Amino acid sequence: PKIPRHGYRCCVPGCQNHIWLHMHHLVPYAENGPTLPENIVPVCTGCHGLVHDGKLIITGCPETGTLEFRDAEGRLLEPTPL
């Protein structure tokens, strides 16, 4: 079987949480964002809250591995290996 691209854990750099994962739409579902692999990333409850509070910004395409993570000030968070 194919191993999920984020190794069964939150995709946010530095977060090792592997429980209470949510599937976050990069383009919001309410704005017609598709529920397809290229628009969804796994995030834990805490990181998901940060995204929706505007404190964590996730952009890019998970299928191509071109995700970028920025804080509320626009600073790039460094990726961490799986």
Side-chain angles (χ1 to χ4, degrees):
K2 183 178 177 184
I3 295 174
R5 64 182 170 256
H6 296 289
Y8 297 103
R9 68 173 180 82
C10 180
C11 70
V12 176
C15 184
Q16 296 295 316
N17 200 339
H18 62 276
I19 58 172
W20 306 111
L21 295 178
H22 298 203
M23 294 296 113
H24 174 71
H25 288 77
L26 296 171
V27 175
Y29 183 78
E31 295 173 18
N32 296 318
T35 303
L36 296 172
E38 60 268 16
N39 190 45
I40 294 179
V41 292
V43 290
C44 69
T45 302
C47 290
H48 204 194
L50 292 173
V51 170
H52 286 283
D53 287 344
K55 296 177 182 173
L56 173 64
I57 300 141
I58 305 172
T59 58
C61 177
E63 284 290 288
T64 61
T66 58
L67 289 176
E68 281 192 354
F69 302 86
R70 296 187 179 273
D71 66 15
E73 303 298 318
R75 294 177 294 235
L76 187 63
L77 301 176
E78 293 298 321
T80 54
L82 293 177

